[in-house]
Amino acid sequence: TRLVTLAGTVSATPVELRLRSSLVKRVWVSEQVPLLHVAKMEIPGLGHTIEVRDFGINAQPQLVLPRPGTAKIKLEQYDDLVISEPPP
């Protein structure tokens, strides 16, 4: 299937997640999109869609990196946590 995205037209295969007869999510998978191979994701119940915008040689990253000296994220310590075995 040919899929039109903001990054252009790609060959993609829809993968649908359904609960009973309701479409929960549709993910368009494409070998032409590097790394995750996700060209588009639709969540019809929320009316939400995300899609690939740029990829390839001239693609620009959109991730905003923290400034130098920004406090690091620390995880809580679980050293004293006792995890019991789940019941059979």
Side-chain angles (χ1 to χ4, degrees), residues 50-83:
I50 59 173
E51 65 184 68
V52 65
R53 192 181 95 177
D54 292 313
F55 65 91
I57 295 171
N58 295 322
Q60 295 294 318
Q62 300 297 313
L63 180 65
V64 178
L65 298 174
R67 295 182 185 149
T70 302
K72 304 289 184 205
I73 297 174
K74 296 182 180 179
L75 299 176
E76 297 178 15
Q77 292 194 358
Y78 293 101
D79 294 337
D80 298 330
L81 182 64
V82 176
I83 301 174

Side-chain angles (χ1 to χ4, degrees), residues 1-4 9-14 28-30 32:
T1 304
R2 302 295 290 165
L3 177 68
V4 178
T9 303
V10 296
S11 295
T13 304
W28 293 86
V29 180
S30 175
Q32 294 173 272

